[in-house]
């Protein structure tokens, strides 16, 4: 017994040596048959990752080094507890602790490598990017660096491809990307603020050309071209030769010798005016004369460019002025030529294009109402005289009404001065006065005060119909018959009273019409292409010319305030002392027509003198009406007094 006891330890040791390898480890230590795994992201793994061999008397738990919430142990099996996401965690670790009675026996580590999958779309750092690009940026330069346009893709193995798509037509001619994988923006051709002030692109990127699934990101690029100071000021009107260089205008004008014009010169093709060639910058322009201003004859306003005469020119000559228009920032300037001719003026009086102007105003209109043009009731009636020698002097002409208190002139427009209570026709004389040459001319306005239109009443089934259709038809027939009888009677009277005179006139050729434009459609255009810019000034406004004294009425007014005729010129109280204010207006069959006034004629009557055809005698003034009574004009003819062959209506 003692000898077996002595042999037991060696036998036991020998028995241990002859056991298969690993038998002792399996009996005393925890183990797994695999400790590294690969799992694609977004995969839900439900099967156990590995079986854990746990010796009897030991237990296995997850250690503190394990990825939180990533694993769990059920029985002796290790499970993946989450759906892996490469972008959140690319490597998961499970620490297995085997303990026996609270004593750590074995420690194992199991790793799960998460494989990346293209499950994320790339993202730009912006949705819309708006930048400013200088107009003078050099070609082939980088406008936006690559770092500002790169998109981010959390899928590490993806290679991004960028595309630039134009949203503004033609924008791709100006900008492009450096390459499909480098999104730096490059300028390919010179910019032009006026042709393309702004351009918009779509910037796209994809993770590959044949990658499935494929994701695309988009962003918007807005490029605003900032104008650069590339062009000098241009005097207008100018003509572009190639879209970049403007051939600017030269100006022409005239002044009368011996006179100083009260207003800026009227130049052709228009007033001196320049604007910054870079309209996007639009610098103010400063004007100056730096050559050709002999004796300081002219002054130019630095802000408006208006050219005025500072001193009179004694004799005819030509001024060649060089005018400079410079930007207010003094960066650029241009020069143009202004030719001004000083011509001897005979001092001819102004002339009215029409001998008679017709206006209209509604009855009951109060003071300050504008008289409308009878030919165009929506437009005000304008009275305009012209200097026959210098259109530049037209602006120096002032107007006033000489013989009527119901109306007044405000510039070229006629206004009422009182409430017009009665309908009828008023005749007023307008005098034009050239403040430079002191010449005057007159014309006549016929102002028709018309009844106001009655307010319209709404029609409908309830409208009161006083007359039937049959009644209206019968009334129309009766009125038509009466009209026919009246026309026949009028024809008999005309033949009886004017038959010989009409026969006499049939063989006479029509006489040439005097100069003037009675038809508004043929009025000459003396205006410039645009009006001069008012010069900024602090000069006090000149006082208006005083209104002339009101002439005494020719006689007692008719009841009801009937329209009064123009005032008659008195000469010693003689019945022959009459005055015509409407002269040299031809009748179609020859002769002249005029409105006469005399003491022997009732104040309520307008007397029209129809002159018999006679030999045409020169001597009447072309400037409109004038004093032609008392032997003026035609030397004692029918203009002396109403009588003879004259007919009074």
């Amino acid at each position: 017994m003692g000898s077996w006891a002595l042999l037991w330890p060696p036998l036991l040791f020998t028995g241990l040596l002859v056991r298969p390898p690993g038998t002792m480890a399996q009996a005393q230590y925890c183990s797994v048959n695999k400790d590294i795994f690969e799992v694609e992201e977004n995969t839900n793994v439900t099967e156990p990752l590995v079986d854990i061999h746990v010796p009897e008397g030991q237990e296995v738990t997850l250690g503190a080094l394990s990825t939180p919430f990533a694993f769990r142990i059920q029985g002796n099996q290790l499970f993946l507890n989450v759906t892996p996401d490469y972008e959140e965690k690319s490597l998961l670790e499970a620490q297995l602790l085997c303990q026996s009675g609270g004593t750590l026996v074995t420690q194992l580590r199991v790793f799960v490598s998460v494989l990346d999958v293209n499950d994320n779309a790339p993202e730009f750092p912006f949705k819309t990017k708006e930048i400013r690009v200088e107009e003078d940026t050099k070609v082939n330069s980088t406008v936006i660096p690559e770092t500002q346009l790169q998109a981010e893709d959390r899928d590490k193995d993806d290679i991004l491809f960028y595309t630039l798509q134009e949203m503004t037509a033609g924008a791709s001619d100006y900008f492009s990307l450096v390459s499909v994988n480098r999104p730096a923006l490059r300028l390919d051709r010179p910019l032009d603020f006026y042709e393309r002030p702004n351009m918009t692109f779509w910037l796209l990127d994809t993770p590959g050309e044949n990658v499935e699934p494929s994701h695309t990101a988009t962003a918007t690029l807005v490029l605003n071209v900032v104008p650069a100071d590339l062009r000098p000021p241009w005097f207008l009107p100018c003509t572009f030769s190639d879209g970049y260089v403007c051939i600017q205008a030269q100006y022409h004008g005239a002044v009368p010798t011996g006179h100083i014009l009260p207003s800026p010169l009227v130049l052709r093709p228009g007033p001196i005016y320049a604007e910054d060639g870079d309209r996007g910058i639009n610098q103010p322009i400063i004007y100056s004369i730096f050559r050709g201003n002999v004796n300081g004859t002219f002054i130019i306003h630095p802000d408006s460019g208006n050219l005025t005469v500072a001193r009179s020119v004694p004799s005819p000559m030509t001024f060649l002025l060089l005018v400079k228009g410079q930007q207010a920032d003094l960066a650029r300037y241009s020069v143009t030529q202004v030719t001004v001719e000083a011509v001897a003026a005979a001092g001819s009086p102004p002339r009215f294009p029409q001998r008679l102007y017709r206006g209209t105003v509604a009855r009951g209109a109060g003071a300050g109402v504008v008289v409308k043009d009878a030919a165009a009731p929506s437009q005000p009636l304008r009275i305009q005289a012209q200097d026959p020698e210098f259109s530049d002097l037209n602006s120096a002409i002032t107007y006033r009404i000489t013989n009527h208190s119901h109306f007044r002139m405000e510039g070229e427009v006629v206004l009422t001065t009182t409430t017009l209570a009665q309908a009828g026709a008023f005749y007023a004389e307008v005098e034009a006065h050239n403040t430079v040459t002191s010449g005057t001319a007159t014309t006549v306005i016929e102002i028709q005060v018309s009844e106001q239109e009655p307010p319209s009443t709404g029609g409908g089934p309830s409208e009161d119909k006083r007359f039937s259709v049959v009644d209206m038809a019968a009334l129309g027939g009766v009125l038509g018959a009466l009209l026919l009888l009246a026309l026949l009677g009028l024809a008999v009277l005309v033949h009886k009273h004017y038959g010989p005179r009409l026969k006499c006139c049939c063989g006479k050729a029509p006489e040439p019409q005097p100069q003037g434009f009675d038809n508004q459609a043929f009025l000459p255009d003396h205006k410039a292409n645009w009006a001069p810019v008012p010069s900024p000034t602090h000069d006090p406004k000149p006082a208006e010319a005083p209104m002339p004294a009101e002439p005494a009425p020719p006689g007692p007014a008719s009841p009801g305030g009937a329209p009064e005729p123009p005032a008659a010129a008195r000469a010693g109280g003689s019945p022959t002392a009459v005055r015509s204010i409407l002269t040299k207006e031809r009748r179609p069959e020859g002769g002249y027509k005029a409105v006469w006034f005399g003491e022997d004629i009732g104040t309520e009557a307008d007397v029209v003198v129809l002159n018999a055809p006679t030999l045409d005698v020169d001597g009447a003034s072309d400037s409109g009406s004038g004093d032609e009574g008392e032997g003026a004009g035609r030397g004692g003819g029918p203009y002396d007094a109403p009588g003879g062959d004259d007919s009074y209506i």
Side-chain angles (χ1 to χ4, degrees), residues 208-501:
E209 296 181 349
N210 298 314
V211 176
E212 293 296 338
S214 179
H215 301 279
T216 302
T218 60
T220 303
L221 288 178
V222 180
L223 306 177
N224 296 318
V225 180
V226 180
D229 197 353
L230 304 176
R231 304 164 185 86
W234 291 331
F235 284 93
L236 302 182
C238 63
T239 304
F240 284 98
S241 59
D242 57 358
Y244 294 92
V245 178
C246 196
I247 302 174
Q248 53 196 9
Q250 295 186 352
Y251 305 94
H252 302 270
V255 294
T257 58
H259 297 286
I260 297 180
L261 301 180
S263 56
L265 269 67
V266 178
L267 303 175
R268 295 176 301 276
I272 299 173
Y273 179 74
E275 66 178 15
D276 191 349
D278 302 295
R279 293 193 299 270
I281 300 177
N282 198 25
Q283 275 283 322
I285 305 301
I286 301 174
Y287 303 92
S288 62
I289 303 174
F290 73 94
R291 187 175 300 173
N293 193 9
V294 179
N295 298 326
T297 305
F298 301 97
I299 296 176
I300 191 168
H301 195 282
D303 297 326
S304 68
N306 286 340
L307 189 67
T308 56
V309 179
R311 59 182 63 187
S312 63
V313 183
S315 59
M317 62 180 298
T318 300
F319 295 87
L320 297 178
L321 306 177
L322 293 183
V323 174
K324 180 171 71 173
Q326 188 170 26
Q327 296 178 187
D329 60 2
L330 308 181
R332 296 180 181 273
Y333 70 90
S334 290
V335 177
T336 191
Q337 179 173 289
V338 181
T339 303
V340 182
E341 296 183 4
V343 183
S348 300
R351 293 180 181 177
F352 284 98
Q354 297 175 232
R355 294 186 181 88
L356 179 64
Y357 291 83
R358 291 182 172 88
T360 180
V361 66
R363 184 173 69 89
V369 176
V370 176
V371 176
K372 302 295 185 179
D373 192 335
S378 63
Q379 301 296 326
L381 177 64
R382 292 189 175 274
I383 312 299
Q384 296 175 328
Q386 301 164 1
D387 188 278
E389 293 181 309
F390 290 95
S391 61
D392 295 0
L393 298 181
N394 293 342
S395 60
I397 298 176
T398 60
Y399 305 89
R400 70 187 183 99
I401 292 179
T402 62
N403 67 333
H404 216 293
S405 61
H406 288 2
F407 306 97
R408 66 180 178 88
M409 297 296 298
E410 186 173 284
E412 300 174 349
V413 179
V414 184
L415 300 179
T416 60
T417 60
T418 185
T419 301
L420 303 176
Q422 296 296 327
F426 290 88
Y427 291 88
E429 184 181 70
V430 177
E431 179 186 80
H433 175 70
N434 192 322
T435 58
V436 175
T437 64
S438 300
T440 61
T442 58
T443 189
V444 175
I445 312 174
E446 178 187 88
I447 303 174
Q448 189 71 34
V449 180
S450 59
E451 294 287 348
Q452 293 181 347
E453 295 182 3
S456 60
T457 57
S462 61
E463 185 178 356
D464 182 16
K465 296 182 178 180
R466 298 174 180 266
F467 303 98
S468 64
V469 176
V470 177
D471 295 336
M472 297 302 294
L475 178 61
V478 174
L479 292 178
L482 293 176
L483 178 61
L484 178 60
L485 292 175
L487 291 177
L488 291 175
L490 180 62
V492 172
L493 291 175
V494 171
H495 178 72
K496 179 178 179 181
H497 291 280
Y498 300 102
R501 188 173 302 175

Side-chain angles (χ1 to χ4, degrees), residues 141-222:
S141 60
T142 299
V143 177
I144 306 178
E146 179 180 353
T147 55
Q148 296 185 17
L149 297 181
Q150 282 180 329
E152 297 180 0
D153 193 336
R154 293 187 295 174
D155 301 320
K156 68 172 183 177
D157 295 329
D158 290 344
I159 300 176
L160 300 181
F161 292 82
Y162 296 90
T163 305
L164 192 65
Q165 295 183 358
E166 66 178 27
M167 295 179 64
T168 303
S172 296
D173 297 336
Y174 291 88
F175 295 96
S176 64
L177 298 177
V178 173
S179 69
V180 294
N181 300 122
R182 295 183 56 194
L185 191 67
R186 177 180 57 198
L187 180 64
D188 296 333
R189 60 178 292 185
L191 295 172
D192 187 342
F193 173 78
Y194 305 107
E195 184 177 353
R196 291 283 190 279
N198 50 68
M199 286 168 271
T200 305
F201 295 91
W202 269 343
L203 183 63
L204 299 87
D205 66 346
T206 57
E209 296 181 349
N210 298 314
V211 176
E212 293 296 338
S214 179
H215 301 279
T216 302
T218 60
T220 303
L221 288 178
V222 180

